[in-house]
Amino acid sequence: MGYFIGVLLQTVVLPIVFGTVELVMVGGNPIDVYGRWWVFWGVGTRLLVAGTVQLVRPETTAEILGSGDSAPAEHQVTRELATANIGMGLAGLLALAPAWAAPAGLAGGVFLLAAGLMHIAKKGKNAQESLATWTDLLVGVVTLVFVLHFLAGALLTPR
């Protein structure tokens, strides 16, 4: 149950709450504000937590993906995935500095969207993998819309 609460908080609830609070208190462009918070929570904290768990308990990823007993090779691949998740997660935490939000959003958004798309076709997903699939897709799409908005603004702004 804790997995579901944590993932839903990081990928849906907290970006909406923090983005709404910022818009009410400070104002700003909703795409920029929500985009930054989705990068911070959905990429930053989500991937940092996932990577840390994968590093400390690599068998957890095998369980989420429905593999009973994981082999040493699976543990090695999971640890390597963990380091990528930790790196992207740390970059995502820097999204609160506006210059970091789009680059971190691009890296994390592409990764999460690709991961979600690869999981869609898999048959027999358990509840944890189904939640990961749909929240990966959500965060991937939201962060990439934010990045496209950022790039469009940068390209259309006269210099």
Side-chain angles (χ1 to χ4, degrees), residues 110-120 133 136-137:
V110 167
F111 172 75
L112 290 168
L113 184 61
L117 289 171
M118 286 187 266
H119 284 279
I120 285 178
T133 298
D136 284 356
L137 291 169

Side-chain angles (χ1 to χ4, degrees), residues 7-155:
V7 169
L8 288 172
L9 281 171
Q10 292 171 310
T11 61
V12 179
V13 176
L14 293 172
I16 291 171
V17 169
F18 277 71
T20 301
V21 168
E22 181 177 335
L23 283 173
V24 168
M25 301 295 288
V26 181
N29 180 306
I31 295 174
D32 292 336
V33 172
Y34 284 112
R36 270 194 325 273
W37 285 110
W38 243 288
V39 173
F40 177 83
W41 288 108
V43 172
T45 68
R46 172 78 179 102
L47 292 180
L48 183 60
V49 168
T52 302
V53 170
Q54 289 164 335
L55 198 59
V56 174
R57 289 196 52 227
E59 64 276 4
T60 301
T61 297
E63 292 167 9
I64 290 170
L65 297 176
S67 174
D69 294 322
S70 54
E74 289 175 306
H75 284 215
Q76 178 64 34
V77 170
T78 301
R79 284 189 189 103
E80 291 172 10
L81 174 63
T83 60
N85 280 336
I86 290 169
M88 283 185 283
L90 290 170
L93 293 180
L94 296 174
L96 298 183
W100 278 88
L106 178 63
V110 167
F111 172 75
L112 290 168
L113 184 61
L117 289 171
M118 286 187 266
H119 284 279
I120 285 178
K122 182 179 175 195
K123 304 286 187 225
K125 290 187 282 289
N126 62 32
Q128 287 178 317
E129 188 177 3
S130 291
L131 178 66
T133 298
W134 295 108
T135 55
D136 284 356
L137 291 169
L138 171 68
V139 174
V141 167
V142 169
T143 57
L144 291 177
V145 166
F146 162 68
V147 169
L148 290 173
H149 171 76
F150 174 85
L151 290 174
L155 293 174

